[in-house]
Amino acid sequence: MSILVDRNTKLICQGITGSAGAFHTKGCLDYGTQVVGGVTPGKGGQKDAHGLPIFNTVSEAVAATGADATMIFVPPPFAADAILEAADAGINLIACITEHIPVLDMMRVKKTLSQSKYDGQRLLGPNCPGIITPGKDGATPGSAEAGCKIGIMPGYIHQPVGSGKSGKNVGIISRSGTLTYEAVWQTANQGLGQTTCVGIGGDPVRGLNFIDLLELFEADPETDGIVMIGEIGGTDEEAAAAYIKANVKKPVTAFIAGRTAPPGRRMGHAGAIISGGEGGAEEKLDALRDAGCHIAESPADLGTTMAKALGI
Amino acid sequence: MKIHEYQSRELLQSFNIPVPGGVVIDTADQAAGAFKQLADGGATLAVVKAQVHAGGRGKGGGVKLVKTAAEATEAATTILSKNLITPQTPPEGVPVKKLLIASGVDIAKEYYLGIVVDRAQGCPVLMASSEGGMDIEEVAANTPEKIIKEPIDPDKGLLGFQARKVAFAIGLQGKQVGQAVKVMMNLTKLFLDTDASLVEINPLVVTPSCDKHPQGEVLAIDAKIDFDDNAAFRHKDLRKLEDPDEVDASEAKAAEFGLSYINLDGHIGCLVNGAGLAMSTMDIIKLHGGEPANFLDVGGSATEEAVTEAFRIILADDGVKGILVNIFGGIAKCDTIANAIVGAAKNIGFTVPLVVRLEGTNVEPARKIIEAAKSEIPTMIVGSDLTDAAKKICDATAA
């Protein structure tokens, strides 16, 4: 099992003819994702380098291919519109990889998506690496051993469910891309497989959040433990801690990046800033500790802390 | 992007928010004229204020009350003559190049008004308080009930009834309410129209009763505005307000190459891909007894040229006694980084210890490149994993 995406997920890429969109479409295809087409307005009717059909609009793409997921590589000025187009076309999972989208655009997107007609449709990101349910790297898309990679993560580091020597599996949730890879790498080295790994993105206003995914991982029978990677800025980790305390029985390993970050400075991610006495790492760690999470004090201890919590 | 107070005042005025009269000068000999201009407008005293981005200007002697043209000249001369040191500046302070001379205003009561992004709700939020003129973070910490919050619809803006509710809640009365409602609505419009990330009027004041304003006048005395850099593409005009003197030269240089760099006080330079991993690299250095000299995210699409520039920027900091390279290749490829290290060794030269930890995409060819270059880069040490790398750079740079 997995959450949100699996080998049956049918993916399109919005911005498929751009350099990043084309490059990562190939990466997802090569990994074994069912990529069924792409969207670039004005290039409808053409095919990409891999023979995938290109459509002018998302709704055309959905009608022709049955796509239920999209990854967005549209440049920042047009990305919010691309998200709303995907939602309007009924796409279930909208993964927005684009970085540097104005915060106001995301606030407006969030407000629109909160309408009841979009219930059940989910936005991941923006400014995120995407989501992966590991399968065999290079499997035939849709085959029994295939997984689903949506986004920019290096597929080969992931360990499909049950393939780790411990037989146990974890779910990973992170605000940071490369730290997600670090968690994947370290848990795989501990003999753990991953059910699904989700990068929720480094922006202050985003779609899916820790709590949404904690709920899904808690309910997923194959997920034995959860790795949660937060960072300075905002109070989402504190909210997640309260949720964990009340609702999550599975062991959660938590790490917070930015303990040494100076207040008032934006540490790369638009959302990574300690401001107004809020968003510091220690408050987050205290809340997570109080919720019974297993804290990784060092970013090098993500795998060992999770393994220990799972009794390995 | 941050702007100066005098620029914020001009922006407030362009959105019909009343501010007291003011004149901007850049030499002390303009101070007397500026004072006279304000006096002609009815001012009996004025405030001379240093225009720097750092807060706490008053504590550093950057704000002076003057009653005559001669006093204005004297204050201007003093402030412009030396670096201004405040709790928020580097220890050596910052140079002052411009002064705002603003009309002094009689104050009946001070309030606070601000708009920030409420990250949890995903919308802007108006914050108002009857405790104006103070550090609002202290008010929030000590008497949170004195801060009134009202969410703002990002499409519709602040609605009239919301503004009235806030105005009454902070204790405004009579005609003051209508004036404050206008300020709040216009401030919201400013926030939304300019893609601001923070607007703050502190204090917003009500003046004592006078013939013209029997119930007092609502005025914005000091303002702070920050903008969302991600929206810069649709606000070319606002970008002109950026003061290059307030931008760290290394950070600006890094941005040109698509690097995200923040200068810090420690002695271990960091070169990392990804913001989260870059922060964590700083954390693990500290955990093993070192101090990071910078935050540096080379980004996903880092070219050899950009990585070479990153090394140049790191090494330009005299405090750097060693460098930790920590790469988990995803989009960024380890071999690109390895080639950049070899290239930088040739073009710049490494005289300080360099610990390299590579993992992820194309790590095998990268390891071969590093192995082959070892003899050419005698200060280079290979870290087998994150902890090993952190320990090695901390050991190599320990005094």
Side-chain angles (χ1 to χ4, degrees), chain A residues 74-289:
Chain A
V74 171
F78 317 107
D81 188 56
I83 295 171
L84 294 177
E85 183 185 1
D88 184 66
I91 295 273
N92 280 331
L93 182 76
I94 303 161
C96 185
I97 313 299
T98 306
E99 187 182 5
H100 299 310
I101 302 177
V103 178
L104 183 58
D105 290 7
M106 284 315 302
M107 293 194 282
R108 289 178 171 154
V109 163
K110 237 188 139 155
K111 191 199 152 207
T112 303
L113 295 185
S114 69
Q115 297 169 49
S116 59
K117 67 173 172 177
Y118 297 116
D119 279 357
Q121 291 177 264
R122 293 170 161 120
L123 170 66
L124 179 62
N127 186 16
C128 77
I131 175 169
I132 182 169
T133 289
K136 181 169 173 266
D137 189 9
T140 306
S143 66
E145 57 192 2
C148 179
K149 166 175 134 79
I150 298 178
I152 61 178
M153 65 291 280
Y156 78 94
I157 60 172
H158 298 80
Q159 192 84 42
V161 159
S163 68
K165 66 178 188 300
S166 76
K168 292 197 171 160
N169 309 296
V170 296
I172 297 174
I173 317 166
S174 171
R175 274 170 71 185
S176 144
T178 40
L179 263 183
T180 319
Y181 314 158
E182 196 69 55
V184 168
W185 178 249
Q186 291 180 27
T187 52
N189 284 342
Q190 294 295 317
L192 293 162
Q194 296 106 26
T195 47
T196 303
C197 308
V198 193
I200 60 174
D203 272 13
V205 176
R206 58 177 170 258
L208 289 174
N209 216 331
F210 288 117
I211 293 176
D212 306 301
L213 296 156
L214 286 164
E215 186 182 357
L216 293 171
F217 278 128
E218 177 72 7
D220 174 42
E222 280 185 341
T223 299
D224 299 302
I226 303 164
V227 180
M228 174 186 148
I229 300 171
E231 63 188 29
I232 55 162
T235 55
D236 290 341
E237 289 80 2
E238 287 88 331
Y243 181 85
I244 290 167
K245 198 170 182 177
N247 301 290
V248 179
K249 305 281 171 290
K250 293 176 182 177
V252 178
T253 290
F255 174 76
I256 302 292
R259 282 173 110 162
T260 52
R265 303 299 309 268
R266 225 168 265 287
M267 307 303 281
H269 283 159
I273 180 166
I274 303 170
S275 60
E278 192 178 276
E282 297 309 324
E283 293 88 333
K284 294 174 188 294
L285 286 165
D286 286 348
L288 290 161
R289 217 175 266 123

Side-chain angles (χ1 to χ4, degrees), chain A residues 100-105 108 111 152 156 175 178-179 182 185 234 255 258-260 265-266 271 276 298 300, chain B residues 119 137 153-155 192 195 228 230 234 251 262 273-274 277 280 282-284 287 331 357 359-361 387:
Chain A
H100 299 310
I101 302 177
V103 178
L104 183 58
D105 290 7
R108 289 178 171 154
K111 191 199 152 207
I152 61 178
Y156 78 94
R175 274 170 71 185
T178 40
L179 263 183
E182 196 69 55
W185 178 249
F255 174 76
R259 282 173 110 162
T260 52
R265 303 299 309 268
R266 225 168 265 287
S298 157
Chain B
R119 300 166 55 132
E137 286 162 24
D153 183 315
D155 292 315
L192 296 174
D195 275 282
D228 177 4
N230 286 354
R234 55 190 176 205
E251 291 173 18
I262 294 172
N273 68 320
L277 193 59
S280 305
M282 290 161 46
D283 296 345
I284 199 168
L287 205 60
I331 322 176
R357 182 264 180 159
E359 207 61 76
T361 305
T387 302

